[in-house]
Amino acid sequence: MRKFIPIIVAAYALFGCASTTQPTFFGKTVEIEAAELGQYWKLDISKPIMLSGRPNWLPKGAGKATYVITIDSNGTEVDKELISSTPEGWMTQELLNKMPKQQYSVSESNPNRTPVKVKIVSEVKRMS
């Protein structure tokens, strides 16, 4: 039995780590407005995660960020690209890359699973 343990560990290391998910695109990526996103993809909302503190990707203070996300034909968010930040430097591409990637379900009006690019505006306000 002890002879099989190293074999199992080696097989897991070789094959378990080799399965990286590649983005899949069926057709041309369509650029849409945020209001149109629900016609293509719906955000999978799972049980909320209660955080013990501020996430390391969320900038300190108040600010506003505009960025573009790309959703592939599997509903996976594959890319975030920062367009602007107010105040300047409040959000950075590095912080944006640390944000959790979202998963989406295909909308009934998107049977071809069209990939999209959509501009997102996100704002953090001070509590008064």
Side-chain angles (χ1 to χ4, degrees), residues 4 6 9 12-13 25 28-30 40 53-54 60 67 69-70 75 79 82-83 87 115 117 128:
F4 291 112
V9 170
Y12 177 74
F25 295 92
K28 187 175 180 179
T29 303
V30 177
Y40 292 88
R54 189 178 187 95
K60 295 192 184 308
Y67 55 95
I69 62 170
T70 303
D79 188 44
L82 184 65
I83 296 172
K117 282 189 174 199
S128 12

PDB file of all heavy atoms in Angstrom, residues 4 6 9 12-13 25 28-30 40 53-54 60 67 69-70 75 79 82-83 87 115 117 128:
ATOM      1  N   PHE A   4       2.046   2.681  -3.340  1.00  0.00           N
ATOM      2  CA  PHE A   4       1.096   3.385  -4.187  1.00  0.00           C
ATOM      3  C   PHE A   4       0.964   4.862  -3.826  1.00  0.00           C
ATOM      4  O   PHE A   4       0.601   5.670  -4.667  1.00  0.00           O
ATOM      5  CB  PHE A   4      -0.290   2.727  -4.120  1.00  0.00           C
ATOM      6  CG  PHE A   4      -0.314   1.376  -4.770  1.00  0.00           C
ATOM      7  CD1 PHE A   4      -0.486   0.234  -4.007  1.00  0.00           C
ATOM      8  CD2 PHE A   4      -0.145   1.252  -6.137  1.00  0.00           C
ATOM      9  CE1 PHE A   4      -0.499  -1.009  -4.609  1.00  0.00           C
ATOM     10  CE2 PHE A   4      -0.163   0.016  -6.738  1.00  0.00           C
ATOM     11  CZ  PHE A   4      -0.333  -1.118  -5.973  1.00  0.00           C
ATOM     12  N   PRO A   6       3.299   7.261  -3.192  1.00  0.00           N
ATOM     13  CA  PRO A   6       4.105   8.165  -4.029  1.00  0.00           C
ATOM     14  C   PRO A   6       3.599   8.231  -5.480  1.00  0.00           C
ATOM     15  O   PRO A   6       3.671   9.279  -6.111  1.00  0.00           O
ATOM     16  CB  PRO A   6       5.514   7.559  -3.979  1.00  0.00           C
ATOM     17  CG  PRO A   6       5.530   6.726  -2.747  1.00  0.00           C
ATOM     18  CD  PRO A   6       4.131   6.246  -2.554  1.00  0.00           C
ATOM     19  N   VAL A   9       0.542  10.554  -5.454  1.00  0.00           N
ATOM     20  CA  VAL A   9       0.982  11.941  -5.280  1.00  0.00           C
ATOM     21  C   VAL A   9       1.609  12.464  -6.573  1.00  0.00           C
ATOM     22  O   VAL A   9       1.327  13.577  -7.010  1.00  0.00           O
ATOM     23  CB  VAL A   9       1.956  12.068  -4.086  1.00  0.00           C
ATOM     24  CG1 VAL A   9       2.603  13.438  -4.046  1.00  0.00           C
ATOM     25  CG2 VAL A   9       1.233  11.764  -2.787  1.00  0.00           C
ATOM     26  N   TYR A  12      -1.125  13.055  -9.207  1.00  0.00           N
ATOM     27  CA  TYR A  12      -1.879  14.266  -8.887  1.00  0.00           C
ATOM     28  C   TYR A  12      -1.072  15.505  -9.251  1.00  0.00           C
ATOM     29  O   TYR A  12      -1.597  16.457  -9.821  1.00  0.00           O
ATOM     30  CB  TYR A  12      -2.249  14.285  -7.403  1.00  0.00           C
ATOM     31  CG  TYR A  12      -2.965  15.536  -6.988  1.00  0.00           C
ATOM     32  CD1 TYR A  12      -4.289  15.747  -7.338  1.00  0.00           C
ATOM     33  CD2 TYR A  12      -2.312  16.542  -6.289  1.00  0.00           C
ATOM     34  CE1 TYR A  12      -4.956  16.905  -6.981  1.00  0.00           C
ATOM     35  CE2 TYR A  12      -2.957  17.701  -5.926  1.00  0.00           C
ATOM     36  CZ  TYR A  12      -4.288  17.875  -6.276  1.00  0.00           C
ATOM     37  OH  TYR A  12      -4.931  19.032  -5.930  1.00  0.00           O
ATOM     38  N   ALA A  13       0.210  15.489  -8.932  1.00  0.00           N
ATOM     39  CA  ALA A  13       1.059  16.650  -9.229  1.00  0.00           C
ATOM     40  C   ALA A  13       1.176  16.878 -10.731  1.00  0.00           C
ATOM     41  O   ALA A  13       1.162  18.008 -11.196  1.00  0.00           O
ATOM     42  CB  ALA A  13       2.441  16.452  -8.618  1.00  0.00           C
ATOM     43  N   PHE A  25     -14.219  31.401 -26.718  1.00  0.00           N
ATOM     44  CA  PHE A  25     -14.986  32.436 -27.391  1.00  0.00           C
ATOM     45  C   PHE A  25     -15.689  31.840 -28.603  1.00  0.00           C
ATOM     46  O   PHE A  25     -15.031  31.390 -29.534  1.00  0.00           O
ATOM     47  CB  PHE A  25     -14.073  33.596 -27.828  1.00  0.00           C
ATOM     48  CG  PHE A  25     -13.457  34.328 -26.672  1.00  0.00           C
ATOM     49  CD1 PHE A  25     -12.218  33.965 -26.182  1.00  0.00           C
ATOM     50  CD2 PHE A  25     -14.130  35.373 -26.071  1.00  0.00           C
ATOM     51  CE1 PHE A  25     -11.652  34.638 -25.110  1.00  0.00           C
ATOM     52  CE2 PHE A  25     -13.576  36.051 -25.002  1.00  0.00           C
ATOM     53  CZ  PHE A  25     -12.333  35.682 -24.518  1.00  0.00           C
ATOM     54  N   LYS A  28     -17.602  36.431 -32.449  1.00  0.00           N
ATOM     55  CA  LYS A  28     -16.933  37.697 -32.159  1.00  0.00           C
ATOM     56  C   LYS A  28     -17.437  38.275 -30.836  1.00  0.00           C
ATOM     57  O   LYS A  28     -18.616  38.209 -30.524  1.00  0.00           O
ATOM     58  CB  LYS A  28     -17.210  38.680 -33.297  1.00  0.00           C
ATOM     59  CG  LYS A  28     -16.441  39.952 -33.203  1.00  0.00           C
ATOM     60  CD  LYS A  28     -16.672  40.827 -34.416  1.00  0.00           C
ATOM     61  CE  LYS A  28     -15.876  42.105 -34.267  1.00  0.00           C
ATOM     62  NZ  LYS A  28     -16.020  42.980 -35.404  1.00  0.00           N
ATOM     63  N   THR A  29     -16.519  38.860 -30.066  1.00  0.00           N
ATOM     64  CA  THR A  29     -16.881  39.517 -28.812  1.00  0.00           C
ATOM     65  C   THR A  29     -17.616  40.814 -29.125  1.00  0.00           C
ATOM     66  O   THR A  29     -17.162  41.616 -29.923  1.00  0.00           O
ATOM     67  CB  THR A  29     -15.624  39.811 -27.978  1.00  0.00           C
ATOM     68  OG1 THR A  29     -14.932  38.579 -27.751  1.00  0.00           O
ATOM     69  CG2 THR A  29     -15.975  40.441 -26.651  1.00  0.00           C
ATOM     70  N   VAL A  30     -18.767  41.010 -28.465  1.00  0.00           N
ATOM     71  CA  VAL A  30     -19.613  42.174 -28.695  1.00  0.00           C
ATOM     72  C   VAL A  30     -19.393  43.171 -27.565  1.00  0.00           C
ATOM     73  O   VAL A  30     -19.382  42.799 -26.393  1.00  0.00           O
ATOM     74  CB  VAL A  30     -21.104  41.748 -28.744  1.00  0.00           C
ATOM     75  CG1 VAL A  30     -22.003  42.943 -28.914  1.00  0.00           C
ATOM     76  CG2 VAL A  30     -21.337  40.724 -29.828  1.00  0.00           C
ATOM     77  N   TYR A  40     -27.420  39.300 -22.141  1.00  0.00           N
ATOM     78  CA  TYR A  40     -26.408  38.324 -22.537  1.00  0.00           C
ATOM     79  C   TYR A  40     -26.029  37.378 -21.405  1.00  0.00           C
ATOM     80  O   TYR A  40     -25.984  36.169 -21.585  1.00  0.00           O
ATOM     81  CB  TYR A  40     -25.148  39.053 -23.028  1.00  0.00           C
ATOM     82  CG  TYR A  40     -25.346  39.803 -24.320  1.00  0.00           C
ATOM     83  CD1 TYR A  40     -25.808  41.114 -24.321  1.00  0.00           C
ATOM     84  CD2 TYR A  40     -25.074  39.202 -25.537  1.00  0.00           C
ATOM     85  CE1 TYR A  40     -25.984  41.813 -25.502  1.00  0.00           C
ATOM     86  CE2 TYR A  40     -25.247  39.892 -26.729  1.00  0.00           C
ATOM     87  CZ  TYR A  40     -25.704  41.195 -26.706  1.00  0.00           C
ATOM     88  OH  TYR A  40     -25.885  41.874 -27.880  1.00  0.00           O
ATOM     89  N   GLY A  53     -12.512  41.994   7.359  1.00  0.00           N
ATOM     90  CA  GLY A  53     -11.928  43.324   7.189  1.00  0.00           C
ATOM     91  C   GLY A  53     -12.027  43.758   5.734  1.00  0.00           C
ATOM     92  O   GLY A  53     -12.621  43.088   4.892  1.00  0.00           O
ATOM     93  N   ARG A  54     -11.420  44.862   5.436  1.00  0.00           N
ATOM     94  CA  ARG A  54     -11.428  45.419   4.086  1.00  0.00           C
ATOM     95  C   ARG A  54     -10.580  44.523   3.173  1.00  0.00           C
ATOM     96  O   ARG A  54      -9.445  44.192   3.515  1.00  0.00           O
ATOM     97  CB  ARG A  54     -10.848  46.830   4.141  1.00  0.00           C
ATOM     98  CG  ARG A  54     -10.990  47.611   2.872  1.00  0.00           C
ATOM     99  CD  ARG A  54     -10.410  49.023   3.086  1.00  0.00           C
ATOM    100  NE  ARG A  54     -10.667  49.862   1.961  1.00  0.00           N
ATOM    101  CZ  ARG A  54     -11.681  50.700   1.852  1.00  0.00           C
ATOM    102  NH1 ARG A  54     -12.535  50.825   2.840  1.00  0.00           N
ATOM    103  NH2 ARG A  54     -11.835  51.436   0.776  1.00  0.00           N
ATOM    104  N   LYS A  60      -8.203  52.408  -0.302  1.00  0.00           N
ATOM    105  CA  LYS A  60      -8.661  53.127   0.888  1.00  0.00           C
ATOM    106  C   LYS A  60      -9.351  54.420   0.475  1.00  0.00           C
ATOM    107  O   LYS A  60      -9.038  55.017  -0.539  1.00  0.00           O
ATOM    108  CB  LYS A  60      -7.475  53.429   1.792  1.00  0.00           C
ATOM    109  CG  LYS A  60      -6.837  52.176   2.359  1.00  0.00           C
ATOM    110  CD  LYS A  60      -5.871  52.510   3.455  1.00  0.00           C
ATOM    111  CE  LYS A  60      -5.137  51.326   3.986  1.00  0.00           C
ATOM    112  NZ  LYS A  60      -5.887  50.194   4.391  1.00  0.00           N
ATOM    113  N   TYR A  67     -13.893  50.577 -15.583  1.00  0.00           N
ATOM    114  CA  TYR A  67     -13.081  49.532 -16.197  1.00  0.00           C
ATOM    115  C   TYR A  67     -13.940  48.685 -17.126  1.00  0.00           C
ATOM    116  O   TYR A  67     -15.162  48.725 -17.073  1.00  0.00           O
ATOM    117  CB  TYR A  67     -12.379  48.672 -15.139  1.00  0.00           C
ATOM    118  CG  TYR A  67     -13.293  48.060 -14.113  1.00  0.00           C
ATOM    119  CD1 TYR A  67     -13.793  46.772 -14.260  1.00  0.00           C
ATOM    120  CD2 TYR A  67     -13.647  48.764 -12.958  1.00  0.00           C
ATOM    121  CE1 TYR A  67     -14.621  46.204 -13.300  1.00  0.00           C
ATOM    122  CE2 TYR A  67     -14.469  48.211 -11.997  1.00  0.00           C
ATOM    123  CZ  TYR A  67     -14.949  46.921 -12.172  1.00  0.00           C
ATOM    124  OH  TYR A  67     -15.767  46.366 -11.225  1.00  0.00           O
ATOM    125  N   ILE A  69     -14.759  44.796 -18.481  1.00  0.00           N
ATOM    126  CA  ILE A  69     -14.578  43.362 -18.248  1.00  0.00           C
ATOM    127  C   ILE A  69     -14.913  42.609 -19.526  1.00  0.00           C
ATOM    128  O   ILE A  69     -15.743  43.051 -20.324  1.00  0.00           O
ATOM    129  CB  ILE A  69     -15.436  42.827 -17.074  1.00  0.00           C
ATOM    130  CG1 ILE A  69     -16.929  42.996 -17.343  1.00  0.00           C
ATOM    131  CG2 ILE A  69     -15.030  43.463 -15.766  1.00  0.00           C
ATOM    132  CD1 ILE A  69     -17.813  42.271 -16.341  1.00  0.00           C
ATOM    133  N   THR A  70     -14.258  41.479 -19.721  1.00  0.00           N
ATOM    134  CA  THR A  70     -14.544  40.587 -20.836  1.00  0.00           C
ATOM    135  C   THR A  70     -15.093  39.296 -20.265  1.00  0.00           C
ATOM    136  O   THR A  70     -14.494  38.706 -19.358  1.00  0.00           O
ATOM    137  CB  THR A  70     -13.268  40.302 -21.653  1.00  0.00           C
ATOM    138  OG1 THR A  70     -12.723  41.537 -22.104  1.00  0.00           O
ATOM    139  CG2 THR A  70     -13.573  39.408 -22.850  1.00  0.00           C
ATOM    140  N   GLY A  75     -19.191  32.127 -19.736  1.00  0.00           N
ATOM    141  CA  GLY A  75     -19.674  32.989 -18.662  1.00  0.00           C
ATOM    142  C   GLY A  75     -18.606  33.327 -17.647  1.00  0.00           C
ATOM    143  O   GLY A  75     -18.901  33.831 -16.565  1.00  0.00           O
ATOM    144  N   ASP A  79     -11.020  38.976 -18.088  1.00  0.00           N
ATOM    145  CA  ASP A  79     -10.141  40.132 -18.142  1.00  0.00           C
ATOM    146  C   ASP A  79     -10.824  41.350 -17.549  1.00  0.00           C
ATOM    147  O   ASP A  79     -12.032  41.510 -17.666  1.00  0.00           O
ATOM    148  CB  ASP A  79      -9.759  40.410 -19.598  1.00  0.00           C
ATOM    149  CG  ASP A  79      -8.698  41.478 -19.743  1.00  0.00           C
ATOM    150  OD1 ASP A  79      -7.717  41.451 -18.988  1.00  0.00           O
ATOM    151  OD2 ASP A  79      -8.862  42.342 -20.621  1.00  0.00           O
ATOM    152  N   LEU A  82      -8.524  48.628 -16.606  1.00  0.00           N
ATOM    153  CA  LEU A  82      -8.834  49.921 -16.015  1.00  0.00           C
ATOM    154  C   LEU A  82      -8.853  51.007 -17.084  1.00  0.00           C
ATOM    155  O   LEU A  82      -7.953  51.100 -17.914  1.00  0.00           O
ATOM    156  CB  LEU A  82      -7.792  50.273 -14.946  1.00  0.00           C
ATOM    157  CG  LEU A  82      -8.027  51.560 -14.171  1.00  0.00           C
ATOM    158  CD1 LEU A  82      -9.306  51.465 -13.332  1.00  0.00           C
ATOM    159  CD2 LEU A  82      -6.832  51.864 -13.289  1.00  0.00           C
ATOM    160  N   ILE A  83      -9.907  51.826 -17.062  1.00  0.00           N
ATOM    161  CA  ILE A  83     -10.023  52.962 -17.978  1.00  0.00           C
ATOM    162  C   ILE A  83      -9.677  54.253 -17.242  1.00  0.00           C
ATOM    163  O   ILE A  83      -8.877  55.047 -17.710  1.00  0.00           O
ATOM    164  CB  ILE A  83     -11.441  53.060 -18.579  1.00  0.00           C
ATOM    165  CG1 ILE A  83     -11.735  51.837 -19.426  1.00  0.00           C
ATOM    166  CG2 ILE A  83     -11.586  54.335 -19.387  1.00  0.00           C
ATOM    167  CD1 ILE A  83     -13.174  51.754 -19.895  1.00  0.00           C
ATOM    168  N   PRO A  87     -10.390  59.741  -7.334  1.00  0.00           N
ATOM    169  CA  PRO A  87      -9.284  60.577  -7.751  1.00  0.00           C
ATOM    170  C   PRO A  87      -8.233  59.751  -8.501  1.00  0.00           C
ATOM    171  O   PRO A  87      -8.185  58.521  -8.385  1.00  0.00           O
ATOM    172  CB  PRO A  87      -8.719  61.136  -6.451  1.00  0.00           C
ATOM    173  CG  PRO A  87      -9.173  60.194  -5.384  1.00  0.00           C
ATOM    174  CD  PRO A  87     -10.447  59.577  -5.877  1.00  0.00           C
ATOM    175  N   PRO A 115     -19.740  36.087 -26.423  1.00  0.00           N
ATOM    176  CA  PRO A 115     -18.871  36.749 -25.448  1.00  0.00           C
ATOM    177  C   PRO A 115     -19.039  38.265 -25.539  1.00  0.00           C
ATOM    178  O   PRO A 115     -19.362  38.783 -26.615  1.00  0.00           O
ATOM    179  CB  PRO A 115     -17.465  36.315 -25.873  1.00  0.00           C
ATOM    180  CG  PRO A 115     -17.584  35.943 -27.304  1.00  0.00           C
ATOM    181  CD  PRO A 115     -18.995  35.491 -27.528  1.00  0.00           C
ATOM    182  N   LYS A 117     -17.814  42.416 -24.027  1.00  0.00           N
ATOM    183  CA  LYS A 117     -17.001  43.371 -23.281  1.00  0.00           C
ATOM    184  C   LYS A 117     -17.972  44.422 -22.791  1.00  0.00           C
ATOM    185  O   LYS A 117     -18.786  44.922 -23.565  1.00  0.00           O
ATOM    186  CB  LYS A 117     -15.946  44.027 -24.175  1.00  0.00           C
ATOM    187  CG  LYS A 117     -14.760  43.169 -24.445  1.00  0.00           C
ATOM    188  CD  LYS A 117     -13.675  43.951 -25.140  1.00  0.00           C
ATOM    189  CE  LYS A 117     -12.457  43.078 -25.256  1.00  0.00           C
ATOM    190  NZ  LYS A 117     -11.254  43.827 -25.498  1.00  0.00           N
ATOM    191  N   SER A 128     -21.422  58.521   6.215  1.00  0.00           N
ATOM    192  CA  SER A 128     -21.472  59.717   7.056  1.00  0.00           C
ATOM    193  C   SER A 128     -22.214  59.479   8.328  1.00  0.00           C
ATOM    194  O   SER A 128     -22.862  58.588   8.596  1.00  0.00           O
ATOM    195  CB  SER A 128     -22.114  60.882   6.375  1.00  0.00           C
ATOM    196  OG  SER A 128     -22.785  60.621   5.211  1.00  0.00           O
TER     197      SER A 128
END
